[in-house]
Amino acid sequence: MSLHADARAVLGGWAAPDPEQDELRTSYVAHLDSHEDAMWRSCVPGHLTASTAVLSFDASRVALVLHRIHRFWLQTGGHCEPEDTTLRAAALREATEETGIGGVRVLPAPVRLDRHAVPCGGGSHHLDVQFAAVAPPEAILVHDPEESADLGWFPVDTLPEPTDDSVRALVEAAVRAVAGTRGVGPDGFRDPRG
């Protein structure tokens, strides 16, 4: 299955948590249906990206990166790459690259969507598919200056400034999703879709 087909299947079957998120989901699916290159930054009208709120094992903290250009604290994430086979794999790759943590567990389904303007290709949009993940116990962040200006753990209820409402909404959704998956199944997680 191609990355495009995976994104279409994931978003086509995703149960959005509210009408606003469902409207975004529908627009993402329409964008995928209209653009063969919707997964790549070359798609100037907009392209899908994958990001992750990486929570500590006890879900009390979130790992955030300080964007080198925009100087905002954000979740891990970015553009899809040719080696990514699924949206979830893209989210995991970005989380691992940007936090330096091995063994991050990404939940099976997205927790929210966020569409925002970006300067890619002279002006475009990121159609971000946002996941929740849990770091292993005793995980240590390893900052790579090539990835971000800074990196840190922050309490989920006291995020650093500057950040934005999208990050706050993602962290809240991630905490809810992780709380709903604890202790179910042999690996401690279950598919939050049921």
Side-chain angles (χ1 to χ4, degrees):
M1 177 183 293
S2 71
L3 180 58
H4 188 283
D6 171 76
R8 179 65 175 79
V10 167
L11 293 167
W14 184 58
D18 59 53
E20 182 180 309
Q21 286 286 293
D22 195 51
E23 186 176 322
L24 275 176
R25 183 196 67 79
T26 301
S27 72
Y28 282 28
V29 170
H31 187 78
L32 284 161
D33 290 346
S34 300
H35 297 87
E36 291 280 326
D37 62 345
M39 302 308 299
W40 314 119
R41 70 176 79 200
S42 59
C43 187
V44 175
H47 41 275
L48 274 73
T49 54
S51 67
T52 309
V54 179
L55 301 181
S56 59
F57 190 74
D58 67 358
S60 68
R61 298 175 297 151
V62 61
L64 298 177
V65 296
L66 183 62
H67 196 281
R68 286 184 303 184
I69 297 168
H70 303 298
R71 307 303 289 186
F72 267 77
W73 288 98
L74 303 171
Q75 74 274 11
T76 65
H79 293 103
C80 295
E81 300 292 343
E83 66 269 17
D84 297 326
T85 56
T86 65
L87 278 171
R88 184 177 175 210
L92 174 60
R93 177 185 50 76
E94 288 285 348
T96 303
E97 289 174 357
E98 293 184 14
T99 66
I101 300 171
V104 171
R105 312 266 331 207
V106 177
L107 271 64
V111 295
R112 73 182 307 274
L113 307 175
D114 183 70
R115 183 179 188 271
H116 51 273
V118 292
C120 300
S124 185
H125 283 88
H126 279 176
L127 285 67
D128 198 29
V129 180
Q130 301 179 328
F131 290 83
V134 178
E138 312 301 323
I140 296 173
L141 297 174
V142 181
H143 179 242
D144 179 350
E146 295 293 317
E147 293 290 340
S148 64
D150 202 357
L151 170 69
W153 286 115
F154 300 94
V156 295
D157 57 356
T158 313
L159 300 185
E161 293 296 340
T163 193
D164 63 21
D165 289 340
S166 172
V167 175
R168 286 184 275 277
L170 172 57
V171 172
E172 289 173 12
V175 169
R176 281 192 307 272
V178 168
T181 62
R182 289 288 185 178
V184 179
D187 65 354
F189 294 96
R190 70 171 171 80
D191 186 333
R193 296 174 293 189

